PDB file of all heavy atoms in Angstrom:
ATOM      1  N   SER A1315      12.878  96.785  61.736  1.00  0.00           N
ATOM      2  CA  SER A1315      12.105  97.936  62.214  1.00  0.00           C
ATOM      3  C   SER A1315      12.324  98.242  63.688  1.00  0.00           C
ATOM      4  O   SER A1315      12.019  99.346  64.142  1.00  0.00           O
ATOM      5  CB  SER A1315      10.611  97.692  61.959  1.00  0.00           C
ATOM      6  OG  SER A1315      10.171  96.533  62.658  1.00  0.00           O
ATOM      7  N   ILE A1316      12.842  97.299  64.444  1.00  0.00           N
ATOM      8  CA  ILE A1316      13.083  97.511  65.878  1.00  0.00           C
ATOM      9  C   ILE A1316      14.542  97.916  66.063  1.00  0.00           C
ATOM     10  O   ILE A1316      15.458  97.091  65.958  1.00  0.00           O
ATOM     11  CB  ILE A1316      12.752  96.249  66.690  1.00  0.00           C
ATOM     12  CG1 ILE A1316      11.294  95.828  66.476  1.00  0.00           C
ATOM     13  CG2 ILE A1316      13.025  96.487  68.186  1.00  0.00           C
ATOM     14  CD1 ILE A1316      10.949  94.455  66.996  1.00  0.00           C
ATOM     15  N   ALA A1317      14.767  99.196  66.254  1.00  0.00           N
ATOM     16  CA  ALA A1317      16.093  99.764  66.518  1.00  0.00           C
ATOM     17  C   ALA A1317      17.086  99.570  65.376  1.00  0.00           C
ATOM     18  O   ALA A1317      18.280  99.750  65.560  1.00  0.00           O
ATOM     19  CB  ALA A1317      16.667  99.197  67.820  1.00  0.00           C
ATOM     20  N   GLY A1318      16.597  99.197  64.201  1.00  0.00           N
ATOM     21  CA  GLY A1318      17.512  98.892  63.106  1.00  0.00           C
ATOM     22  C   GLY A1318      18.306  97.630  63.335  1.00  0.00           C
ATOM     23  O   GLY A1318      19.287  97.358  62.638  1.00  0.00           O
ATOM     24  N   LEU A1319      17.886  96.826  64.316  1.00  0.00           N
ATOM     25  CA  LEU A1319      18.598  95.610  64.713  1.00  0.00           C
ATOM     26  C   LEU A1319      17.748  94.358  64.610  1.00  0.00           C
ATOM     27  O   LEU A1319      18.266  93.262  64.370  1.00  0.00           O
ATOM     28  CB  LEU A1319      19.076  95.739  66.174  1.00  0.00           C
ATOM     29  CG  LEU A1319      19.991  96.903  66.531  1.00  0.00           C
ATOM     30  CD1 LEU A1319      20.203  96.952  68.044  1.00  0.00           C
ATOM     31  CD2 LEU A1319      21.315  96.789  65.808  1.00  0.00           C
ATOM     32  N   ILE A1320      16.451  94.500  64.826  1.00  0.00           N
ATOM     33  CA  ILE A1320      15.554  93.365  65.021  1.00  0.00           C
ATOM     34  C   ILE A1320      14.354  93.495  64.100  1.00  0.00           C
ATOM     35  O   ILE A1320      13.797  94.585  63.936  1.00  0.00           O
ATOM     36  CB  ILE A1320      15.087  93.296  66.488  1.00  0.00           C
ATOM     37  CG1 ILE A1320      16.282  93.123  67.431  1.00  0.00           C
ATOM     38  CG2 ILE A1320      14.077  92.184  66.703  1.00  0.00           C
ATOM     39  CD1 ILE A1320      15.931  93.316  68.898  1.00  0.00           C
ATOM     40  N   SER A1321      13.943  92.375  63.539  1.00  0.00           N
ATOM     41  CA  SER A1321      12.740  92.350  62.710  1.00  0.00           C
ATOM     42  C   SER A1321      11.509  92.105  63.571  1.00  0.00           C
ATOM     43  O   SER A1321      11.569  91.397  64.582  1.00  0.00           O
ATOM     44  CB  SER A1321      12.848  91.243  61.662  1.00  0.00           C
ATOM     45  OG  SER A1321      11.625  91.096  60.961  1.00  0.00           O
ATOM     46  N   ASP A1322      10.402  92.655  63.153  1.00  0.00           N
ATOM     47  CA  ASP A1322       9.128  92.413  63.827  1.00  0.00           C
ATOM     48  C   ASP A1322       8.388  91.230  63.216  1.00  0.00           C
ATOM     49  O   ASP A1322       7.274  90.912  63.611  1.00  0.00           O
ATOM     50  CB  ASP A1322       8.261  93.678  63.754  1.00  0.00           C
ATOM     51  CG  ASP A1322       7.152  93.685  64.804  1.00  0.00           C
ATOM     52  OD1 ASP A1322       7.361  93.105  65.884  1.00  0.00           O
ATOM     53  OD2 ASP A1322       6.077  94.246  64.529  1.00  0.00           O
ATOM     54  N   GLU A1323       9.024  90.585  62.248  1.00  0.00           N
ATOM     55  CA  GLU A1323       8.395  89.461  61.556  1.00  0.00           C
ATOM     56  C   GLU A1323       8.666  88.140  62.268  1.00  0.00           C
ATOM     57  O   GLU A1323       9.523  88.052  63.151  1.00  0.00           O
ATOM     58  CB  GLU A1323       8.933  89.375  60.123  1.00  0.00           C
ATOM     59  CG  GLU A1323       8.633  90.580  59.251  1.00  0.00           C
ATOM     60  CD  GLU A1323       7.183  90.615  58.781  1.00  0.00           C
ATOM     61  OE1 GLU A1323       6.422  89.686  59.089  1.00  0.00           O
ATOM     62  OE2 GLU A1323       6.828  91.589  58.085  1.00  0.00           O
ATOM     63  N   GLN A1324       7.948  87.109  61.829  1.00  0.00           N
ATOM     64  CA  GLN A1324       8.186  85.763  62.346  1.00  0.00           C
ATOM     65  C   GLN A1324       9.570  85.276  61.905  1.00  0.00           C
ATOM     66  O   GLN A1324      10.107  85.693  60.872  1.00  0.00           O
ATOM     67  CB  GLN A1324       7.117  84.805  61.836  1.00  0.00           C
ATOM     68  CG  GLN A1324       5.721  85.077  62.365  1.00  0.00           C
ATOM     69  CD  GLN A1324       4.703  84.080  61.837  1.00  0.00           C
ATOM     70  OE1 GLN A1324       5.008  83.266  60.966  1.00  0.00           O
ATOM     71  NE2 GLN A1324       3.497  84.143  62.351  1.00  0.00           N
ATOM     72  N   ALA A1325      10.104  84.354  62.678  1.00  0.00           N
ATOM     73  CA  ALA A1325      11.447  83.848  62.396  1.00  0.00           C
ATOM     74  C   ALA A1325      11.550  83.268  60.987  1.00  0.00           C
ATOM     75  O   ALA A1325      12.555  83.465  60.299  1.00  0.00           O
ATOM     76  CB  ALA A1325      11.831  82.796  63.432  1.00  0.00           C
ATOM     77  N   SER A1326      10.528  82.567  60.541  1.00  0.00           N
ATOM     78  CA  SER A1326      10.577  81.926  59.221  1.00  0.00           C
ATOM     79  C   SER A1326      10.767  82.951  58.110  1.00  0.00           C
ATOM     80  O   SER A1326      11.500  82.713  57.138  1.00  0.00           O
ATOM     81  CB  SER A1326       9.303  81.113  58.978  1.00  0.00           C
ATOM     82  OG  SER A1326       8.150  81.945  59.063  1.00  0.00           O
ATOM     83  N   ILE A1327      10.124  84.113  58.235  1.00  0.00           N
ATOM     84  CA  ILE A1327      10.252  85.166  57.216  1.00  0.00           C
ATOM     85  C   ILE A1327      11.641  85.777  57.265  1.00  0.00           C
ATOM     86  O   ILE A1327      12.270  86.029  56.229  1.00  0.00           O
ATOM     87  CB  ILE A1327       9.166  86.241  57.434  1.00  0.00           C
ATOM     88  CG1 ILE A1327       7.778  85.631  57.226  1.00  0.00           C
ATOM     89  CG2 ILE A1327       9.379  87.437  56.506  1.00  0.00           C
ATOM     90  CD1 ILE A1327       6.635  86.557  57.570  1.00  0.00           C
ATOM     91  N   VAL A1328      12.144  86.034  58.479  1.00  0.00           N
ATOM     92  CA  VAL A1328      13.483  86.604  58.633  1.00  0.00           C
ATOM     93  C   VAL A1328      14.525  85.653  58.052  1.00  0.00           C
ATOM     94  O   VAL A1328      15.433  86.075  57.314  1.00  0.00           O
ATOM     95  CB  VAL A1328      13.779  86.895  60.115  1.00  0.00           C
ATOM     96  CG1 VAL A1328      15.191  87.445  60.279  1.00  0.00           C
ATOM     97  CG2 VAL A1328      12.762  87.879  60.685  1.00  0.00           C
ATOM     98  N   ILE A1329      14.409  84.381  58.353  1.00  0.00           N
ATOM     99  CA  ILE A1329      15.372  83.387  57.877  1.00  0.00           C
ATOM    100  C   ILE A1329      15.341  83.291  56.360  1.00  0.00           C
ATOM    101  O   ILE A1329      16.390  83.257  55.698  1.00  0.00           O
ATOM    102  CB  ILE A1329      15.094  82.016  58.525  1.00  0.00           C
ATOM    103  CG1 ILE A1329      15.419  82.076  60.015  1.00  0.00           C
ATOM    104  CG2 ILE A1329      15.908  80.918  57.843  1.00  0.00           C
ATOM    105  CD1 ILE A1329      14.899  80.891  60.802  1.00  0.00           C
ATOM    106  N   GLU A1330      14.151  83.270  55.790  1.00  0.00           N
ATOM    107  CA  GLU A1330      14.026  83.172  54.329  1.00  0.00           C
ATOM    108  C   GLU A1330      14.708  84.348  53.635  1.00  0.00           C
ATOM    109  O   GLU A1330      15.473  84.170  52.679  1.00  0.00           O
ATOM    110  CB  GLU A1330      12.551  83.112  53.939  1.00  0.00           C
ATOM    111  CG  GLU A1330      12.324  82.997  52.435  1.00  0.00           C
ATOM    112  CD  GLU A1330      10.851  82.991  52.058  1.00  0.00           C
ATOM    113  OE1 GLU A1330       9.993  83.091  52.958  1.00  0.00           O
ATOM    114  OE2 GLU A1330      10.564  82.903  50.847  1.00  0.00           O
ATOM    115  N   THR A1331      14.452  85.562  54.122  1.00  0.00           N
ATOM    116  CA  THR A1331      15.059  86.744  53.508  1.00  0.00           C
ATOM    117  C   THR A1331      16.561  86.770  53.736  1.00  0.00           C
ATOM    118  O   THR A1331      17.335  87.113  52.828  1.00  0.00           O
ATOM    119  CB  THR A1331      14.428  88.028  54.070  1.00  0.00           C
ATOM    120  OG1 THR A1331      13.008  87.948  53.962  1.00  0.00           O
ATOM    121  CG2 THR A1331      14.924  89.253  53.325  1.00  0.00           C
ATOM    122  N   TYR A1332      16.985  86.392  54.925  1.00  0.00           N
ATOM    123  CA  TYR A1332      18.415  86.388  55.233  1.00  0.00           C
ATOM    124  C   TYR A1332      19.157  85.365  54.370  1.00  0.00           C
ATOM    125  O   TYR A1332      20.274  85.628  53.899  1.00  0.00           O
ATOM    126  CB  TYR A1332      18.620  86.090  56.716  1.00  0.00           C
ATOM    127  CG  TYR A1332      20.053  86.213  57.157  1.00  0.00           C
ATOM    128  CD1 TYR A1332      20.689  87.449  57.184  1.00  0.00           C
ATOM    129  CD2 TYR A1332      20.785  85.095  57.545  1.00  0.00           C
ATOM    130  CE1 TYR A1332      22.017  87.567  57.570  1.00  0.00           C
ATOM    131  CE2 TYR A1332      22.105  85.201  57.937  1.00  0.00           C
ATOM    132  CZ  TYR A1332      22.711  86.443  57.951  1.00  0.00           C
ATOM    133  OH  TYR A1332      24.026  86.552  58.338  1.00  0.00           O
ATOM    134  N   GLU A1333      18.550  84.223  54.137  1.00  0.00           N
ATOM    135  CA  GLU A1333      19.175  83.219  53.280  1.00  0.00           C
ATOM    136  C   GLU A1333      19.272  83.698  51.835  1.00  0.00           C
ATOM    137  O   GLU A1333      20.248  83.401  51.136  1.00  0.00           O
ATOM    138  CB  GLU A1333      18.403  81.898  53.376  1.00  0.00           C
ATOM    139  CG  GLU A1333      18.619  81.178  54.713  1.00  0.00           C
ATOM    140  CD  GLU A1333      17.845  79.879  54.819  1.00  0.00           C
ATOM    141  OE1 GLU A1333      16.880  79.703  54.040  1.00  0.00           O
ATOM    142  OE2 GLU A1333      18.202  79.053  55.681  1.00  0.00           O
ATOM    143  N   LYS A1334      18.276  84.467  51.388  1.00  0.00           N
ATOM    144  CA  LYS A1334      18.348  85.046  50.041  1.00  0.00           C
ATOM    145  C   LYS A1334      19.521  86.017  49.942  1.00  0.00           C
ATOM    146  O   LYS A1334      20.250  86.043  48.948  1.00  0.00           O
ATOM    147  CB  LYS A1334      17.041  85.770  49.706  1.00  0.00           C
ATOM    148  CG  LYS A1334      15.883  84.857  49.370  1.00  0.00           C
ATOM    149  CD  LYS A1334      14.638  85.671  49.028  1.00  0.00           C
ATOM    150  CE  LYS A1334      13.461  84.756  48.723  1.00  0.00           C
ATOM    151  NZ  LYS A1334      12.217  85.543  48.442  1.00  0.00           N
ATOM    152  N   LEU A1335      19.696  86.816  50.994  1.00  0.00           N
ATOM    153  CA  LEU A1335      20.830  87.740  51.026  1.00  0.00           C
ATOM    154  C   LEU A1335      22.151  86.990  50.941  1.00  0.00           C
ATOM    155  O   LEU A1335      23.059  87.384  50.203  1.00  0.00           O
ATOM    156  CB  LEU A1335      20.782  88.581  52.304  1.00  0.00           C
ATOM    157  CG  LEU A1335      19.792  89.749  52.325  1.00  0.00           C
ATOM    158  CD1 LEU A1335      19.577  90.227  53.761  1.00  0.00           C
ATOM    159  CD2 LEU A1335      20.287  90.900  51.462  1.00  0.00           C
ATOM    160  N   ASN A1336      22.255  85.900  51.679  1.00  0.00           N
ATOM    161  CA  ASN A1336      23.501  85.125  51.673  1.00  0.00           C
ATOM    162  C   ASN A1336      23.759  84.470  50.320  1.00  0.00           C
ATOM    163  O   ASN A1336      24.906  84.348  49.878  1.00  0.00           O
ATOM    164  CB  ASN A1336      23.465  84.069  52.776  1.00  0.00           C
ATOM    165  CG  ASN A1336      23.784  84.658  54.139  1.00  0.00           C
ATOM    166  OD1 ASN A1336      24.518  85.645  54.238  1.00  0.00           O
ATOM    167  ND2 ASN A1336      23.236  84.079  55.187  1.00  0.00           N
ATOM    168  N   GLU A1337      22.685  84.036  49.657  1.00  0.00           N
ATOM    169  CA  GLU A1337      22.840  83.474  48.311  1.00  0.00           C
ATOM    170  C   GLU A1337      23.377  84.532  47.352  1.00  0.00           C
ATOM    171  O   GLU A1337      24.291  84.288  46.557  1.00  0.00           O
ATOM    172  CB  GLU A1337      21.497  82.947  47.803  1.00  0.00           C
ATOM    173  CG  GLU A1337      21.019  81.683  48.483  1.00  0.00           C
ATOM    174  CD  GLU A1337      19.608  81.305  48.042  1.00  0.00           C
ATOM    175  OE1 GLU A1337      19.117  81.906  47.058  1.00  0.00           O
ATOM    176  OE2 GLU A1337      19.001  80.428  48.681  1.00  0.00           O
ATOM    177  N   LYS A1338      22.802  85.734  47.428  1.00  0.00           N
ATOM    178  CA  LYS A1338      23.207  86.802  46.516  1.00  0.00           C
ATOM    179  C   LYS A1338      24.605  87.327  46.842  1.00  0.00           C
ATOM    180  O   LYS A1338      25.306  87.809  45.946  1.00  0.00           O
ATOM    181  CB  LYS A1338      22.172  87.925  46.550  1.00  0.00           C
ATOM    182  CG  LYS A1338      20.825  87.517  45.949  1.00  0.00           C
ATOM    183  CD  LYS A1338      19.849  88.659  45.888  1.00  0.00           C
ATOM    184  CE  LYS A1338      18.531  88.228  45.261  1.00  0.00           C
ATOM    185  NZ  LYS A1338      18.702  87.805  43.846  1.00  0.00           N
ATOM    186  N   ILE A1339      25.002  87.229  48.106  1.00  0.00           N
ATOM    187  CA  ILE A1339      26.362  87.639  48.471  1.00  0.00           C
ATOM    188  C   ILE A1339      27.391  86.812  47.704  1.00  0.00           C
ATOM    189  O   ILE A1339      28.378  87.330  47.193  1.00  0.00           O
ATOM    190  CB  ILE A1339      26.572  87.518  49.990  1.00  0.00           C
ATOM    191  CG1 ILE A1339      26.109  88.798  50.680  1.00  0.00           C
ATOM    192  CG2 ILE A1339      28.021  87.243  50.342  1.00  0.00           C
ATOM    193  CD1 ILE A1339      26.289  88.816  52.168  1.00  0.00           C
TER     194      ILE A1339
END
């Protein structure tokens, strides 16, 4: 949500979602 570059969420939430993306990749 921040400039299309940065999440406004806590690091743990960002990491969890990013790891899901990498698994699905």
Side-chain angles (χ1 to χ4, degrees):
S1315 61
I1316 302 168
L1319 302 173
I1320 300 169
S1321 173
D1322 199 31
E1323 298 284 358
Q1324 293 181 352
S1326 58
I1327 296 173
V1328 178
I1329 291 167
E1330 180 182 1
T1331 308
Y1332 186 68
E1333 288 179 341
K1334 285 181 181 178
L1335 282 164
N1336 280 331
E1337 288 174 11
K1338 292 185 179 297
I1339 273 181

